[in-house]
Amino acid sequence: MGLSKTIWATPSEFLHSQHPDNPVIFFAPSVLQATAKRFLAGFPGMVTYAVKSNPDEMVIENLVAAGVKGFDVASPAEIALIRRLAPGAALHYNNPVRARHEIEFAVGQGVHSYSVDSRTELEKLIEIVPAANTEITVRFKLPVAGAAYNFGAKFGAPVELAAELLKRVAEAGFVASLTFHPGTQCTDPMAWDSYIRAAADICRKAGVPARRLNVGGGFPSHRVQGELPQLDAIFALIDRVATEAFGASRPALVCEPGRGLVAECMVSAARVKAVRDGEHVFLNDGTYGCMDEQPITGMISRISVLTADGVKRVGEQRKRIVFGPTCDSVDRLPGDIMLAADIAEGDYVLVEGMGAYSTATNTTFNGFGAVSIATVMNLTI
Ligand SMILES: *Cc1c(COP(=O)(O)O)cnc(C)c1O
């Protein structure tokens, strides 16, 4: 990925002067730091960052500068990245299935927190990881809705098994904690309510108090025009329900947002390669590029069309079918997309709120994917 060293005022200024032919992601460090500070001030516990949502070094560095002191990592490469950029940070290795060599690597790097959701993987941890000062966090799941997609489909122990695992963690001499992930882009705060109360039930069933409760990621970002994420309401609910459910034995809280921290700090710009016979729009970025998750989580509707000179088209809009650049027919943005009716070849399509799961999942399939990142003072379009 290319990196532009100059800092530009706005995306429009950059497009006007550079006329880039490859996709560009505009990054505003000021927006990222402001979001991080909102989490640090508002969340009633420790804020860690789920590295997978955007592992860009500038993103990590700005989160550290804003005061983030912990990271949710899922692989040796993510562990090495954070050790290099934030040597003193806490690492929570919260991918519940790991190869033995991965666990050994984490132990060597001083990782002291691991999540688990099964008997076999817990025994593996007990065998390899020294128990002293080390936390094992049991990940559980509930059949609850509210998120853009269900994270419980892959990971998480049902409540009964979670209680059994929590007991075993304590017996083996580790610090026993609990975690869940309500599902990404979780706009229904009641998901946290159900999960926190279930966590208290699991502790009662196991007869083991949890030292910490990690309430996951899943904090929503602003994807739909006019629907602002209710972060403060979610923080307040988590705080209130944790006290109601656990009373005097309330565990310390941890959260591990990915999307909620980074989505807002980036805007993507894709160039219009063609408006084929006046109908379908073909962009130079698509579902094999930075738009990979749009078909899964639903299309972001905060979209603007700018001319080749960076001037916003403000006239009437119409629905279009929009394709990415590869020859695969799944390379299409979901549904019909409302775009300026006079969109033309050479224009730019800008999508706001694109900081999460964009550059991280970009591929070079079919020879595309040459995305660059441009730093801007602000993201106003
Ligand atoms: C992906 C992931 C996150 C981050 O999820 P968001 O929905 O982006 O906040 C947090 N924790 C775990 C264990 C994850 O796998």
Side-chain angles (χ1 to χ4, degrees):
M1 227 176 296
L3 171 65
S4 118
K5 288 288 179 203
T6 317
I7 296 185
W8 303 82
T10 61
S12 169
E13 187 200 49
F14 178 94
L15 295 173
H16 177 78
S17 105
Q18 301 294 303
H19 302 106
D21 278 318
N22 286 320
V24 177
I25 297 277
F26 294 103
F27 169 48
S30 58
V31 174
L32 177 57
Q33 293 213 21
T35 313
K37 284 176 181 158
R38 197 169 162 204
F39 267 87
L40 289 162
F43 182 76
M46 182 185 191
V47 177
T48 68
Y49 171 57
V51 173
K52 76 166 185 280
S53 60
N54 191 328
D56 190 282
E57 296 198 2
M58 291 188 296
V59 166
I60 307 293
E61 284 163 0
N62 275 279
L63 288 171
V64 171
V68 172
K69 294 185 169 57
F71 293 84
D72 160 33
V73 290
S75 60
E78 288 186 355
I79 292 169
L81 175 74
I82 301 303
R83 274 286 173 261
R84 180 162 61 78
L85 299 175
L91 294 175
H92 298 167
Y93 192 173
N94 286 349
N95 179 345
V97 177
R98 312 163 187 84
R100 282 168 203 274
H101 72 91
E102 292 171 331
I103 301 171
E104 283 155 9
F105 180 83
V107 170
Q109 293 293 308
V111 174
H112 286 287
S113 179
Y114 300 79
S115 76
V116 79
D117 68 353
S118 64
R119 297 184 186 96
T120 54
E121 301 315 289
L122 175 55
E123 292 311 318
K124 237 192 225 177
L125 285 179
I126 291 172
E127 209 180 295
I128 302 172
V129 182
N133 296 322
T134 297
E135 170 184 60
I136 295 184
T137 306
V138 175
R139 175 150 167 196
F140 69 99
K141 67 174 168 191
L142 298 175
V144 292
Y149 76 85
N150 176 14
F151 268 41
K154 182 164 180 183
F155 294 130
V159 165
E160 288 296 324
L161 176 59
E164 176 193 321
L165 296 174
L166 193 68
K167 217 168 151 197
R168 174 78 179 118
V169 167
E171 281 166 4
F174 289 85
V175 172
S177 292
L178 283 171
T179 188
F180 59 85
H181 191 302
T184 202
Q185 186 66 16
C186 185
T187 49
D188 180 4
M190 288 312 285
W192 278 278
D193 186 300
S194 316
Y195 268 103
I196 293 168
R197 291 182 200 283
D201 285 342
I202 291 167
C203 290
R204 278 189 285 273
K205 276 199 180 75
V208 173
R211 175 84 61 89
R212 298 204 287 185
L213 173 62
N214 182 332
V215 300
F219 297 88
S221 67
H222 182 192
R223 297 178 72 86
V224 178
Q225 289 197 31
E227 278 181 30
L228 287 167
Q230 301 299 312
L231 282 185
D232 293 326
I234 296 172
F235 296 156
L237 178 144
I238 289 171
D239 194 27
R240 173 175 60 79
V241 176
T243 298
E244 283 174 15
F246 287 92
S249 56
R250 171 175 157 152
L253 299 177
V254 180
C255 68
E256 50 184 18
R259 181 189 308 285
L261 272 174
V262 296
E264 198 57 27
C265 74
M266 293 186 174
V267 168
S268 68
R271 193 158 211 187
V272 177
K273 300 177 66 171
V275 182
R276 194 176 60 184
D277 288 341
E279 283 299 320
H280 300 341
V281 173
F282 283 70
L283 299 178
N284 64 359
D285 191 14
T287 65
Y288 287 94
C290 293
M291 310 274 189
D292 167 84
E293 75 149 11
Q294 304 305 318
I296 305 166
T297 37
M299 189 62 202
I300 294 177
S301 70
R302 298 167 65 202
I303 303 177
S304 306
V305 176
L306 272 60
T307 66
D309 277 327
V311 179
K312 188 169 174 175
R313 292 193 185 271
V314 291
E316 189 188 321
Q317 301 211 320
R318 62 162 277 199
K319 286 180 180 170
R320 299 275 187 176
I321 288 175
V322 180
F323 291 108
T326 73
C327 293
D328 193 326
S329 42
V330 308
D331 191 4
R332 176 191 159 173
L333 299 185
D336 294 324
I337 314 274
M338 285 298 279
L339 296 173
D342 54 348
I343 190 170
E345 180 184 337
D347 280 3
Y348 294 97
V349 173
L350 274 60
V351 184
E352 294 173 71
M354 282 287 291
Y357 309 107
S358 52
T359 52
T361 49
N362 179 50
T363 76
T364 57
F365 179 53
N366 238 182
F368 298 102
V371 177
S372 60
I373 298 185
T375 303
V376 290
M377 301 292 286
N378 78 73
L379 292 168
T380 309
I381 296 161

